[in-house]
Amino acid sequence: FCFRFRVGSLGAGRRVPGAAGLFVMLLLCAARPAPASRRSAPAKMLRNIDRCEALIFTTSSAVDQPTSRLRRGVSRLLAEASDDGALVALLEPPGSPEHEPLPGAVTWPTNAAEPTVAELTSLRESMHIAAPAGFAGAPGAAWGREPVAARCVVLVTSLGATAAALGAGMRAVGVPPEEEGWLDEEIDGVADACLDGGIGEGPLALRLTDLSTPGAYWLNPALPRDLEGRAVDPTTGAVVARAADGEGA
């Protein structure tokens, strides 16, 4: 029998004897490129990593009170914030003694020894990120913006500062009030993360990358809440009324 081909080198419609035709057909099939796979690439779940945009110190978390010098680990954290484009602020209550300055940090005076929700929110709204990162590392808003509350981290040593940070929708990381001291028991289990003891840089041995969302200490963005977990207004700290039961003020 014969195979009939329409191949230019053989001439259109040329008849080729059976054995030779089979051989040519095999050669042509071998030379023919394999068809591209139609299987689509496996779907990938994109999870954005939100970096810490503002690192806020209370005075006791940044300064060693007996020496008035910066605590161990603070200078490194400041350098990491500068390299990563994160803003830095220091909450300073009235009557604070002179101390070693925090390079690059904004000093924000508070009206009392402990900051309030309103003061932390006002501080955040006064700050400006010139080149914020967008989703999955893409460029963000070209005109800049204020830091997102959920991407702000407050280093706290007291329950009052912890409550203010949580109420403002920020993360609270508890550290001991003194260089070689212990964590205040009132904030243990209340702050989003509690760091105690350690060697070298002590509790401030954390890295700025640890404070990302998701990161070493939490997975999901923070929401403004009080110490009982109730939703609050981040500008005032007042409990938000819920439609289900009318609770709130």
Side-chain angles (χ1 to χ4, degrees), residues 142-228:
W143 52 87
R145 59 168 171 75
E146 63 193 32
V148 176
R151 302 175 195 172
C152 298
V153 178
V154 187
L155 295 177
V156 299
T157 61
S158 65
L159 186 62
T162 301
L166 299 181
M170 303 176 182
R171 290 293 184 184
V173 174
V175 298
E178 299 176 0
E179 189 75 75
E180 303 294 340
W182 297 93
L183 187 75
D184 187 337
E185 292 183 355
E186 287 189 311
I187 66 175
D188 190 8
V190 178
D192 295 296
C194 294
L195 308 179
D196 206 352
I199 60 176
E201 293 179 337
L204 291 175
L206 79 164
R207 303 286 171 173
L208 192 71
T209 52
D210 295 338
L211 307 178
S212 299
T213 304
Y217 303 119
W218 45 76
L219 296 178
N220 299 311
L223 295 173
R225 65 193 190 280
D226 65 8
L227 296 179
E228 283 74 43

Side-chain angles (χ1 to χ4, degrees), residues 7 18 21 31 39 68 88-90 104-105 107 111 131 135 146 148 169 172 175 182 199:
V7 182
R39 180 180 297 177
S68 297
V88 180
L90 174 68
T107 299
N111 292 322
F135 183 81
E146 63 193 32
V148 176
V175 298
W182 297 93
I199 60 176

Side-chain angles (χ1 to χ4, degrees), residues 1-17:
F1 66 94
C2 295
F3 288 93
R4 194 172 188 85
F5 290 86
R6 291 190 176 275
V7 182
S9 59
L10 296 176
R14 180 175 179 180
R15 295 175 66 83
V16 182

Side-chain angles (χ1 to χ4, degrees), residues 102-158:
L102 276 69
V106 173
T107 299
W108 192 260
T110 60
N111 292 322
E114 301 286 7
T116 65
V117 170
E119 287 173 332
L120 282 176
T121 295
S122 296
L123 166 60
R124 179 183 62 82
E125 292 175 345
S126 73
M127 304 172 89
H128 180 78
I129 302 175
F135 183 81
W143 52 87
R145 59 168 171 75
E146 63 193 32
V148 176
R151 302 175 195 172
C152 298
V153 178
V154 187
L155 295 177
V156 299
T157 61
S158 65

